[in-house]
Amino acid sequence: MEPKTSAEKELMKENLYQNQVQNILRKHQGFLQAGCSPDGLNESDDPSLIKKQYATESAIIDRVMTNERSAFLCGIALSGLVFASVRFGPRFLAIKINPDKERLLREADDIAKKANTRWIQKTAAFLFEASFGAWAGWRGYNI
């Protein structure tokens, strides 16, 4: 029976591969056994030696974690700042520039409440402000 697919051809070579692996293991048997002592411990199991060997990697990981934490906190702070400035800034500036605007804005709010459309305005404004704040926070995290 002739193998038809490449998978079947590879299966026919299984014994050849197994013999090659066994030859490699026999050839390097002394080297592989030297790494382990009979009691299962060797000098590389010393925690202080392991700590010294991986000090550079630990320092890099600590620096990366510090940078990620900093970027995350900056993103949250920026998101909150943008949300607050978009939510309260325009009304505050309009009132500070022209005090008469406060009365006009209050009248517009009363008219919207009587028409029962104020909740739509509040919801739409909140969604815009929140999405803009989230976008700014995401961009701040990626800086």
Side-chain angles (χ1 to χ4, degrees):
M1 180 170 139
E2 282 292 313
K4 296 177 183 173
T5 64
S6 61
E8 289 174 348
K9 290 178 186 176
E10 289 298 316
L11 282 174
M12 298 295 285
K13 297 179 184 178
E14 182 179 6
N15 287 334
L16 175 67
Y17 295 145
Q18 188 175 16
N19 288 335
Q20 287 177 346
V21 170
Q22 287 176 353
N23 287 337
I24 291 170
L25 290 175
R26 272 191 219 103
K27 182 178 176 184
H28 299 288
Q29 181 179 8
F31 176 74
L32 294 172
Q33 289 177 342
C36 295
S37 61
D39 61 354
L41 296 173
N42 58 29
E43 67 274 354
S44 67
D45 291 337
D46 182 23
S48 63
L49 181 62
I50 292 172
K51 214 174 208 181
K52 288 177 189 173
Q53 288 174 337
Y54 297 105
T56 305
E57 289 85 352
S58 296
I60 291 170
I61 291 171
D62 289 342
R63 215 170 355 170
V64 167
M65 293 301 293
T66 302
N67 288 342
E68 282 296 312
R69 184 175 31 252
S70 174
F72 182 72
L73 292 175
C74 286
I76 289 175
L78 186 62
S79 178
L81 182 65
V82 167
F83 176 79
S85 66
V86 171
R87 180 143 180 106
F88 304 112
R91 188 175 280 248
F92 178 76
L93 287 176
I95 292 171
K96 285 297 177 186
I97 292 171
N98 186 0
D100 190 40
K101 286 280 187 188
E102 184 175 14
R103 183 183 54 78
L104 295 172
L105 288 171
R106 200 170 284 140
E107 287 174 4
D109 287 344
D110 291 339
I111 292 170
K113 282 180 187 176
K114 289 177 186 174
N116 203 17
T117 58
R118 183 67 181 142
W119 68 273
I120 296 171
Q121 291 174 346
K122 282 185 173 182
T123 304
F126 180 78
L127 289 175
F128 171 75
E129 294 154 355
S131 62
F132 191 68
W135 175 81
W138 175 73
R139 293 301 298 162
Y141 172 76
N142 288 324
I143 289 179

